[in-house]
Amino acid sequence: MLFDADHDDRVIDEAVIDCAALSDRQLLWIDLEQQDEQIDDAALQHLVERLGLGDDALPALRALNGHGRLQNFGDWFLAQAIVVEHEGGLKFNGRGLAIVAGRNFVLTLHRGPLAVLEELRTREHADTHLGVLSAESFTASLLDWQLASYFDAVTDFEAEVDRLEVAVLGRGFRQDYLPQLAALRRGASRLRRMLAPHRNLFSALARPDFRPDADGDANAHFLALDERFARAIDAVENARDLVVGSFELFATRTAQRTNETMRVLTFVTVLLGTLSVMAGVLGMNFQVPMFESGQQGFFAAIAGMLLLVVVAVGVARWRHWL
């Protein structure tokens, strides 16, 4: 894709790529998507020659290992980051994105389609003025999209936490929420493990010694990118704290349910004890006129016990003991 600030943006054929002919109001974006485990070496070597990256480029691009890193080669630099994609069910998968930025061109390499790049293409489907951006500024934009994938993942994560907490606080509370809490904890830890290693990448981009000859806008973009990374780290850390809060809520709800159960058991125990005392009194072996009432006395005693139960249950429900 050739972004041209003075003409229409257009897709150009690989055979006509000529970086030397690009003006400062043009920006060439080449996106290489690998389908297999290894990048097509022939295609990669052809691109390296077309872009004039030199002899050091091919070994560096072959060594892409899916971890955040930054390498400066003078006329161009290589940045590698991990994009997170949420497939649902708290399954967060990391996808490597390598960015090569030179003079008026940017090369991106990744395995399989990336949702963030597809979203960028969809948004910029019309004629734009992206040609005025330098390669450094466009790289900062791509890395900002990469960080946005973590913010989107945290949003999905928070929605899962909200659903769990609503279920915990609901009337149908169960004791089997621990597996879901464990899944939330694993999801939060995975997000942090994928994002935290980028600290060196973004801090290095923001240092003045990284690209001392870059324009002021690019340096401002890199500084803003470092601040956005700090906010992303805070968001992921907050996601971990949400899991701790959800576990405390679950523990409190479990304790409350246990207290309610013990209160019911205590009430039932006291009630049965009272009925046992009444039955014991009525079963004493000494002569009292009421013991000679026969069948009528038996049914009267049963009716009295039932009346006691009804009154006790009514009082208990009125006092919210049951």
Side-chain angles (χ1 to χ4, degrees), residues 21-254:
L22 295 175
S23 70
D24 290 338
R25 294 180 60 81
Q26 291 178 321
L27 178 65
L28 177 65
W29 177 25
I30 306 168
D31 185 47
L32 178 59
E33 177 182 321
Q34 64 181 96
Q35 300 296 335
D36 302 322
E37 292 295 323
Q38 300 294 330
I39 297 177
D40 186 346
D41 195 71
L44 191 59
Q45 185 172 3
H46 183 69
L47 276 176
V48 167
E49 294 173 355
R50 279 279 182 182
L51 299 176
L53 298 180
D55 297 334
D56 295 333
L58 200 57
L61 296 178
R62 285 172 177 165
L64 297 178
N65 53 11
H67 299 289
R69 66 167 177 162
L70 180 67
Q71 291 180 279
N72 195 346
F73 294 88
D75 293 335
W76 60 278
F77 67 90
L78 169 65
Q80 181 173 302
I82 305 300
V83 178
V84 62
E85 293 189 340
H86 185 205
E87 298 180 355
L90 296 175
K91 295 180 180 178
F92 299 107
N93 297 320
R95 306 280 295 279
L97 171 64
I99 305 173
V100 175
R103 181 172 178 80
N104 298 326
F105 73 85
V106 172
L107 167 65
T108 54
L109 302 92
H110 52 92
R111 183 182 303 163
L114 282 180
V116 292
L117 297 186
E118 294 297 331
E119 187 176 354
L120 174 60
R121 291 193 189 95
T122 301
R123 194 192 70 176
E124 305 298 344
H125 67 280
D127 190 33
T128 68
H129 292 280
L130 293 181
V132 300
L133 291 179
S134 64
E136 290 86 354
S137 295
F138 188 70
T139 299
S141 178
L142 291 175
L143 290 175
D144 187 84
W145 281 90
Q146 176 257 343
L147 289 177
S149 69
Y150 286 89
F151 285 107
D152 293 340
V154 169
T155 299
D156 295 340
F157 183 89
E158 290 173 346
E160 293 288 343
V161 172
D162 289 340
R163 280 192 286 269
L164 176 61
E165 291 184 349
V166 168
V168 169
L169 292 173
R171 297 178 62 87
F173 175 76
R174 307 186 309 272
Q175 300 289 336
D176 57 351
Y177 291 114
L178 278 177
Q180 298 180 49
L181 286 169
L184 285 171
R185 185 66 176 82
R186 287 193 298 269
S189 297
R190 179 162 177 76
L191 282 176
R192 190 181 188 283
R193 287 197 304 270
M194 287 191 292
L195 181 60
H198 292 85
R199 183 175 287 106
N200 293 334
L201 167 64
F202 291 106
S203 61
L205 286 170
R207 294 191 188 105
D209 62 329
F210 171 61
R211 303 291 282 181
D213 56 343
D215 59 64
D217 290 339
N219 289 327
H221 294 156
F222 287 145
L223 287 172
L225 194 62
D226 190 37
E227 294 177 0
R228 186 162 168 80
F229 169 75
R231 291 197 297 272
I233 282 287
D234 291 340
V236 172
E237 291 290 350
N238 182 62
R240 298 177 68 193
D241 293 339
L242 287 176
V243 179
V244 176
S246 297
F247 180 79
E248 292 177 350
L249 178 63
F250 171 74
T252 301
R253 193 73 171 89
T254 301

